[in-house]
Amino acid sequence: RNRKDITYQQGLLVQERATLARFVGLEDWQYGRVVKAEGVETNPSVSLAGESPQGLPTNNWIVQEGRGLNQEDMDFARDVIVLGSRVVDKLFPYSDPIGEHVKIDGKRYRVIGYFEAQGGFQGGHQDNFAAIPISTFFNKYGKQNRSIHIMVQSTGRETYENAMEQVRGILRVARKVFPGEEGDFSIFSNESLIEQWNELTFYVKVGMAFVSSIALVAAGVGIMMIMLVSVTERTREIGIRRAVGAKKKDILTQFIMEAIVLCEVGGVVGVVLGILGGNIAALAFEFPAVVPYDWAMIGLGVCSLIGIIFGTYPAWKASNLDPIESLRYE
């Protein structure tokens, strides 16, 4: 909000000078639009993108039918549009949308294609959008006081860092940022988005770890009480085992193993329910279903650790029972 706008001219400069880029796309957005077509209209939730032709591959938008935006559409500011699959499903559920016309904010556009479905993300829907030439977008919504997005895709993994530095240098010169001064723009990459997500979820993770720790302690105490009851009920059995030659370490090992098995049974049930619940939620939000084998193994390992920690005292108590008194126990 407090930074100078990134202008369309600066975007064109990056397109011209970024030699390490495969694609440089320029875009701007209007949100909460209604798209109408012959008696049918969408909810006021469609995002309208003004795009340069190279904005399609940088956004990983793949045209399923028809065609995407090209340079002539840009040069002549044509009133053409490419629809997201969710908009197509709403407006043209039983017909081919290509060649048809739609209206957005009173302006009429000819449909030249539509994109492949991308699915949902964080409760939203990535297909609820449409794209028009950015020149047409500026004609309709104005060019002044707008800050565009510049989307850069490097020529390859090996040129990624250099391409980022090249673009940063081009923008610093274009925006007159002197050496030693902090840049007045932000660069978002896969790594920076992951870092931001981790920062946002850090306190959630801490809270979950705290709640989980309390649950683990409560479960461990429960395991210990169950094992203590088991020791009391099996006192005579322990005495018989000691009488026929079992050593203290044998009794200790037996009861610790029983505590571990008891924890692992609960752990397996928890892992199965966790995977089922997590994947049901993932499918509801249109994420791919996964089976986190590494975290399942970690979870079962923690269960074993809880069994050892909280099963040690009952096992020690069992191993130290007096054999004579144990045989007399009723």
Side-chain angles (χ1 to χ4, degrees):
R1 183 183 63 186
N2 296 326
R3 291 169 172 160
K4 294 186 296 183
D5 292 337
I6 296 177
T7 65
Y8 182 62
Q9 286 69 29
Q10 292 169 1
L12 293 176
L13 195 64
V14 173
Q15 276 189 334
E16 177 186 346
R17 298 183 180 179
T19 57
L20 297 177
R22 176 180 285 116
F23 300 113
V24 178
L26 310 178
E27 71 175 12
D28 205 349
W29 290 84
Q30 285 285 331
Y31 300 100
R33 303 295 101 179
V34 175
V35 185
K36 302 178 181 179
E38 294 190 1
V40 185
E41 63 181 51
T42 67
N43 293 327
S45 58
V46 177
S47 300
L48 180 64
E51 293 286 338
S52 67
Q54 292 188 341
L56 274 59
T58 55
N59 277 310
N60 198 30
W61 294 341
I62 301 172
V63 177
Q64 181 173 331
E65 295 291 341
R67 67 173 179 86
L69 305 173
N70 59 33
Q71 193 60 43
E72 287 188 357
D73 297 329
M74 279 276 298
D75 294 340
F76 295 103
R78 289 173 175 165
D79 296 332
V80 294
I81 192 168
V82 186
L83 302 177
S85 63
R86 192 171 178 86
V87 180
V88 172
D89 293 341
K90 177 68 175 180
L91 299 181
F92 305 99
Y94 308 111
S95 60
D96 186 356
I98 298 175
E100 300 294 332
H101 289 82
V102 298
K103 274 189 176 182
I104 305 176
D105 294 331
K107 190 172 182 65
R108 194 164 178 260
Y109 301 92
R110 179 170 58 88
V111 180
I112 58 173
Y114 58 90
F115 297 111
E116 288 184 0
Q118 299 180 86
F121 180 71
Q122 295 185 4
H125 211 292
Q126 297 183 93
D127 301 308
N128 197 32
F129 76 102
I132 61 176
I134 194 169
S135 52
T136 307
F137 183 94
F138 287 148
N139 287 344
K140 173 63 180 175
Y141 299 104
K143 193 174 182 179
Q144 302 301 317
N145 300 320
R146 307 195 70 89
S147 190
I148 68 165
H149 301 161
I150 304 174
M151 301 166 294
V152 182
Q153 185 181 109
S154 67
T155 54
R157 185 185 299 272
E158 65 281 355
T159 61
Y160 173 78
E161 294 294 340
N162 290 335
M164 187 181 297
E165 286 303 314
Q166 185 182 54
V167 170
R168 183 180 284 111
I170 294 169
L171 280 177
R172 286 179 67 89
V173 171
R175 295 167 67 83
K176 297 180 174 58
V177 180
F178 294 103
E181 292 183 358
E182 184 180 355
D184 59 354
F185 54 90
S186 290
I187 295 181
F188 293 92
S189 63
N190 291 340
E191 289 81 2
S192 66
L193 291 175
I194 290 172
E195 289 175 3
Q196 285 191 347
W197 175 256
N198 288 337
E199 289 175 4
L200 288 172
T201 58
F202 173 75
Y203 294 105
V204 175
K205 292 175 182 176
V206 170
M208 292 177 65
F210 179 72
V211 172
S212 300
S213 299
I214 294 174
L216 283 174
V217 171
V221 171
I223 293 293
M224 185 169 63
M225 298 306 297
I226 291 172
M227 294 305 300
L228 286 172
V229 171
S230 178
V231 170
T232 302
E233 292 178 344
R234 296 162 63 187
T235 299
R236 188 173 178 81
E237 173 195 325
I238 295 168
I240 294 172
R241 288 203 64 198
R242 292 295 306 277
V244 297
K247 298 179 180 179
K248 283 186 177 183
K249 67 177 182 179
D250 298 323
I251 303 298
L252 184 73
T253 302
Q254 174 190 345
F255 276 86
I256 288 179
M257 291 303 298
E258 288 181 9
I260 292 173
V261 170
L262 188 61
C263 286
E264 288 297 339
V265 170
V268 169
V269 173
V271 167
V272 171
L273 292 178
I275 291 173
L276 289 176
N279 284 329
I280 289 172
L283 293 174
F285 288 104
E286 301 185 25
F287 288 126
V290 295
V291 179
Y293 295 104
D294 51 349
W295 284 106
M297 293 300 102
I298 291 171
L300 295 177
V302 170
C303 288
S304 296
L305 184 63
I306 294 297
I308 293 171
I309 293 173
F310 289 92
T312 297
Y313 174 68
W316 175 84
K317 185 175 180 180
S319 67
N320 283 278
L321 289 175
D322 184 86
I324 304 298
E325 294 298 328
S326 299
L327 285 170
R328 294 175 179 173
Y329 187 80
E330 294 292 339

